[in-house]
Amino acid sequence: MAYYTEIFTPETYQAFTQSDRTIDGFYERHKEVAKRVKAGDILVCYVTRISRWCGLLEILDNEPFRAIKPDFVETDDQHVLCFHVRPKVWLSLPDSIPIRDDKIWQHLSFTQSYPKNSSIWTGILRNSLNKLNDKDGELLAEMLSMQANNPFPYPLDEKELKSLKKHTVNRVDKVVQVSVPENDESIDDNEGSQNNDVRESIKMQALLAQIGACMGHRIWLPKADRSRVLKEWNKGTEALLDRLPLNYDEATISTIEQIDVIWLKGRSIVRAFEVEHTTSVYSGLLRMADLLALQPNMNIKLHIVAPDYRQEKVFQEILRPVFSLLEKAPLSEICSYISYSKLKELSKQKHLDRMNDGVLDDYDEQAEL
């Protein structure tokens, strides 16, 4: 028996709670990791935005099946990869166990070394079907079973209640959900000095440039960053462009020139990347939004590249109302997140020179409410 994470949003938690709780669904991107899951394995369930453990689901299938009509969210449900499950524990939100409760926090291998106001520990809880080590899985299973049999109340505080509130805005074509994040910039775990931040950001720009050049793309870098990036960029520097071969108005060109890394084929932009190492993370998103506002018909793939522990912050910002009302589509549908660790993993792939930019779709993540 193995233990795996199952990550619910408050909305998917509510939908599952109201169902008969016999089928659990995942996104298509989980296809490969889902192959590891077997009958008898346990899904340890966690609710995002309130950071609580809520249940244990036993897998009943040795392989996933495809749902004909998934029903885990209200509209455009993409949870097409499914398992039959048997709930062993399913808690109400006021009974669910906060991850920062001492009985949990001090004993999990991925939290016990960090202060409770940190977010650097969140890597394993960013995706469903991440395998937990046996001790962590056994601890959580024991704590959740005890809570089911003898509940200790964990009432939702004001911040948690606020985070559960769903916000929607009406576009001309559809209603979209948005996030309204708290103005909280206080947590930056072990970030070091500003100089270290800049240096790491430059390394990621160099890595993006090197990967793109290896795949046969021409590369654009902002002129202000070039000298520093070229100190880190080891191969393919001949692909660097001196000027952009694009025919846009001055405002558009000025916006594009400031994007951290651009991959081009011929006279077309293929991918654009903003590296966000700092606390706010939204400056790159603003630049991407500006570009789409100026050129709503531009058909390119946009990416925010940021440290692994900044994923939740990137998703909070990308789902802001201002980014959800762009003429083309909500920014969350056009711009994805790539973690530093995933970028480094991609850079180590053999035969990058035989790959095309589509491989990035295996390494990026979309914001989800």
Side-chain angles (χ1 to χ4, degrees), residues 24-86:
D24 194 14
F26 301 89
Y27 289 94
E28 179 67 31
R29 68 169 181 267
H30 292 111
K31 179 179 178 180
E32 291 304 313
V33 293
K35 292 178 181 178
R36 302 177 303 179
V37 179
K38 302 299 177 187
D41 289 342
I42 302 296
L43 299 174
V44 186
C45 304
Y46 179 83
V47 185
T48 62
R49 305 213 303 263
I50 61 170
S51 304
R52 288 176 172 236
W53 300 99
C54 68
L56 300 170
L57 304 177
E58 180 184 357
I59 296 288
L60 301 182
D61 305 308
N62 280 318
E63 59 183 34
F65 65 93
R66 294 190 176 277
I68 297 173
K69 184 183 180 299
D71 192 24
F72 297 96
V73 294
E74 291 179 5
T75 59
D76 193 26
D77 196 343
Q78 301 298 311
H79 296 81
V80 296
L81 207 63
C82 298
F83 287 97
H84 290 100
V85 296
R86 178 187 297 118

Side-chain angles (χ1 to χ4, degrees), residues 60-254:
L60 301 182
D61 305 308
N62 280 318
E63 59 183 34
F65 65 93
R66 294 190 176 277
I68 297 173
K69 184 183 180 299
D71 192 24
F72 297 96
V73 294
E74 291 179 5
T75 59
D76 193 26
D77 196 343
Q78 301 298 311
H79 296 81
V80 296
L81 207 63
C82 298
F83 287 97
H84 290 100
V85 296
R86 178 187 297 118
K88 296 172 70 68
V89 172
W90 194 252
L91 302 173
S92 68
L93 290 184
D95 286 338
S96 60
I97 308 176
I99 193 170
R100 290 179 174 83
D101 183 82
D102 283 341
K103 294 187 291 293
I104 298 287
W105 186 271
Q106 301 299 337
H107 300 285
L108 288 177
S109 64
F110 54 92
T111 59
Q112 62 186 188
S113 299
Y114 300 106
K116 289 185 180 180
N117 66 343
S118 69
S119 58
I120 200 169
W121 51 273
T122 58
I124 197 168
L125 298 178
R126 293 194 191 111
N127 288 293
S128 294
L129 298 183
N130 280 334
K131 192 174 186 297
L132 293 162
N133 73 42
D134 288 345
K135 288 186 178 179
D136 287 342
E138 289 165 2
L139 169 69
L140 290 166
E142 179 183 2
M143 297 301 298
L144 286 163
S145 297
M146 290 173 58
Q147 179 69 354
N149 293 325
N150 187 21
F152 179 85
Y154 292 100
L156 296 163
D157 62 25
E158 183 178 352
K159 184 176 180 180
E160 289 172 319
L161 289 170
K162 189 174 182 179
S163 72
L164 291 174
K165 187 176 180 181
K166 184 165 63 174
H167 302 271
T168 61
V169 293
N170 296 319
R171 292 174 53 87
V172 173
D173 55 337
K174 60 182 175 181
V175 176
V176 297
Q177 293 184 32
V178 299
S179 72
V180 183
E182 295 290 314
N183 184 21
D184 181 7
E185 305 291 358
S186 62
I187 299 171
D188 263 293
D189 306 288
N190 301 318
E191 277 295 275
S193 67
Q194 184 176 359
N195 287 337
N196 287 335
D197 291 349
V198 172
R199 185 157 52 248
E200 188 67 14
S201 175
I202 292 295
K203 286 180 179 178
M204 293 301 108
Q205 279 181 271
L207 202 56
L208 285 164
Q210 187 165 307
I211 292 169
C214 189
M215 290 182 180
H217 300 293
R218 293 194 291 172
I219 307 300
W220 173 263
L221 297 170
K223 293 181 179 179
D225 295 343
R226 291 186 177 202
S227 61
R228 291 177 296 175
V229 172
L230 286 170
K231 291 178 182 178
E232 303 288 346
W233 182 2
N234 300 317
K235 295 184 295 185
T237 55
E238 65 277 4
L240 182 62
L241 291 168
D242 290 325
R243 65 180 184 83
L244 285 167
L246 306 173
N247 294 319
Y248 292 113
D249 59 76
E250 183 178 347
T252 301
I253 292 294
S254 296

